[in-house]
Amino acid sequence: MTGPAPDIHVSGTPVVAGLRRRWTLACLIGELVGFLPPATAGAALSTIGVTDLILVVGLTIAGLMEGAILGVAQSRVLARHAPAVNGRAWVVATTTAAGFAWFVGM
């Protein structure tokens, strides 16, 4: 029989038990739900035969939505385990990064 998992310390500060599991689940669920807008937009825009410019713009906007969904999921974990992190700024940064990635990837 094993006891509770030992506390993990980062820079001398203990990390609360369950952080890794919560973070992984938040990322998994955030990406699963967040990828719906780009997948739907890509399929719909390709089906109706829009121009490349419209496709790039549409998928970039959908990528922003993906980033926002992922950022919100992650910020909920951060609020519990790292309350000093500004959740709104985290969502904005994640949204911006995802939109940029979709734009560059197109």
Side-chain angles (χ1 to χ4, degrees):
M1 180 173 227
T2 62
D7 285 341
I8 300 170
H9 290 76
V10 177
S11 301
T13 304
V15 176
V16 180
L19 171 60
R20 184 177 304 176
R21 180 180 57 81
R22 287 184 182 97
W23 185 260
T24 302
L25 283 173
C27 292
L28 174 69
I29 293 167
E31 280 294 347
L32 284 173
V33 174
F35 200 70
L36 291 174
T40 304
L45 294 173
S46 294
T47 299
I48 61 174
V50 298
T51 65
D52 288 345
L53 176 63
I54 299 298
L55 184 63
V56 168
V57 171
L59 286 175
T60 299
I61 291 169
L64 290 167
M65 294 170 67
E66 175 190 5
I69 293 166
L70 176 61
V72 167
Q74 291 174 337
S75 72
R76 293 178 56 105
V77 176
L78 290 172
R80 179 175 181 163
H81 293 281
V85 175
N86 182 322
R88 185 170 291 145
W90 185 271
V91 172
V92 169
T94 306
T95 301
T96 303
F100 180 73
W102 274 96
F103 177 75
V104 170
M106 294 305 301

